[in-house]
Amino acid sequence: MKLEAVDFTAPDAAQKFVESLRQTGFGVLKNHPIKQQSVADIYRNWEAFFNTDEKQNYLYNKDKQDGFFPQSVSEVAKGFKKKDIKEYYHFYPWGQCPSSLKAELDNYYNNTSELAAQLLNWIEQESPAEVSKHYSMPLSDMIDGSDQTLLRVLHYPPLAGDEEADAIRAAAHEDINLITLLPAANEPGLQVKAKDGTWLDVPCDFGNLIVNIGDMLQEASGHYFPSTTHRVVNPEGTDMTKARISLPLFLHPRPDVKLSERHTAGSYLHERLTELGVL
């Protein structure tokens, strides 16, 4: 099986995109509205930021989870013991951010959130009646007015060759949120786990937009849409001395949104962050 990019402008784009999400938990879009130049500018400017000591002035707030997370506190994926080889910055429009970089991120955050609302509408319109009846409200309404949606600027440093055994850039994990929007990174490495247990390379052509289902949408759809395991492996056959920048937008509902009989978005997020040890 292979993941294929869907043309966002094609008449059957919604159907093909949602079918890919249903089968693999991932969809890849080309010819979408997010401008490639804005992504390239963010990659360049944030790589420069991560290479300065200024980042230490924006250390994360544990209660709000905004700001710079150094590699020393990087995530340990559920079921793993080694920290991922990465550092990252959590951006919220209400949170701390270097003034020279804020307008660019605000613009990207708003444009991508608008596109995400459209993609959630696609998912809803392509959901069978027996699935959509579980949604407590239209999917795009779940994110309307939410201040929980997170833009993460990830920096995977160049690899020196002396990394801990079994440590990779991002160990196998699932996302917590509704859906994640990710512009193809400047280096390959993203893989998704297929139903047969094999790993599929996600097309990383610069300009593609990668979308995946998170645990919250899996919960809200009664597991019709799978939150699929994915990872970022250390590159083979590519220049290991190059850093990798990645820019996922994690779409989160308002905390009061009912996902299922068991959970609101707020209770689900708290449970998962506690499991990960970041709360």
Side-chain angles (χ1 to χ4, degrees):
M1 184 175 187
K2 188 180 177 187
L3 274 167
E4 302 280 357
V6 173
D7 187 338
F8 180 84
T9 62
D12 60 351
Q15 182 183 0
K16 283 186 172 176
F17 172 71
V18 176
E19 179 59 21
S20 180
L21 291 177
R22 163 74 174 139
Q23 294 302 322
T24 69
F26 272 72
V28 182
L29 292 170
K30 60 184 180 182
N31 298 326
H32 54 83
I34 303 302
K35 289 185 170 52
Q36 197 168 330
Q37 189 58 53
S38 72
V39 175
D41 290 345
I42 291 169
Y43 284 173
R44 184 182 66 253
N45 293 336
W46 277 84
E47 184 169 1
F49 172 79
F50 281 117
N51 286 331
T52 69
D53 290 333
E54 185 190 359
K55 62 191 178 185
Q56 304 297 339
N57 298 332
Y58 297 92
L59 281 174
Y60 71 102
N61 294 303
K62 188 158 187 179
D63 54 339
K64 295 181 178 178
Q65 295 284 300
D66 65 316
F68 171 63
F69 289 72
Q71 193 171 330
S72 60
V73 296
S74 185
E75 294 165 318
V76 177
K78 190 175 177 181
F80 288 80
K81 294 180 178 164
K82 298 282 173 41
K83 285 186 182 295
D84 292 342
I85 307 170
K86 66 188 182 189
E87 57 185 359
Y88 50 92
Y89 197 100
H90 278 186
F91 173 79
Y92 299 94
W94 48 261
Q96 57 177 328
C97 183
S99 57
S100 60
L101 299 172
K102 182 166 170 51
E104 188 174 66
L105 283 197
D106 270 332
N107 187 49
Y108 178 82
Y109 184 102
N110 292 334
N111 291 340
T112 315
S113 295
E114 279 182 27
L115 175 58
Q118 182 176 350
L119 297 180
L120 286 170
N121 286 334
W122 282 10
I123 292 167
E124 181 160 8
Q125 78 184 35
E126 296 294 328
S127 295
E130 65 269 19
V131 174
S132 57
K133 73 180 182 184
H134 295 297
Y135 302 148
S136 63
M137 65 183 71
L139 294 179
S140 61
D141 286 0
M142 291 183 179
I143 63 169
D144 189 30
S146 172
D147 64 1
Q148 301 292 303
T149 289
L150 163 66
L151 181 61
R152 175 183 281 180
V153 189
L154 277 155
H155 179 230
Y156 301 100
L159 298 174
D162 58 356
E163 288 73 28
E164 281 190 280
D166 301 327
I168 63 173
R169 285 180 159 177
H173 66 283
E174 301 81 41
D175 290 349
I176 301 171
N177 44 291
L178 279 177
I179 59 173
T180 302
L181 275 66
L182 176 72
N186 59 353
E187 290 295 313
L190 180 61
Q191 296 181 326
V192 57
K193 196 171 191 177
K195 290 176 180 176
D196 64 2
T198 59
W199 290 97
L200 304 174
D201 288 318
V202 176
C204 64
D205 299 345
F206 191 57
N208 282 353
L209 187 72
I210 300 153
V211 181
N212 67 274
I213 302 293
D215 292 348
M216 288 186 181
L217 186 51
Q218 176 177 267
E219 181 79 14
S221 67
H223 287 246
Y224 179 79
F225 290 107
S227 178
T228 312
T229 305
H230 52 286
R231 67 184 184 183
V232 180
V233 296
N234 303 341
E236 284 187 21
T238 59
D239 187 353
M240 292 173 61
T241 64
K242 286 179 73 173
R244 185 177 189 271
I245 299 286
S246 182
L247 198 61
L249 183 77
F250 300 103
L251 270 293
H252 277 273
R254 298 181 307 280
D256 63 293
V257 168
K258 182 182 174 184
L259 297 177
S260 66
E261 293 304 318
R262 298 188 308 155
H263 279 296
T264 63
S267 72
Y268 198 96
L269 180 61
H270 188 273
E271 179 180 286
R272 288 298 307 278
L273 291 181
T274 303
E275 284 176 355
L276 290 169
V278 295
L279 281 183

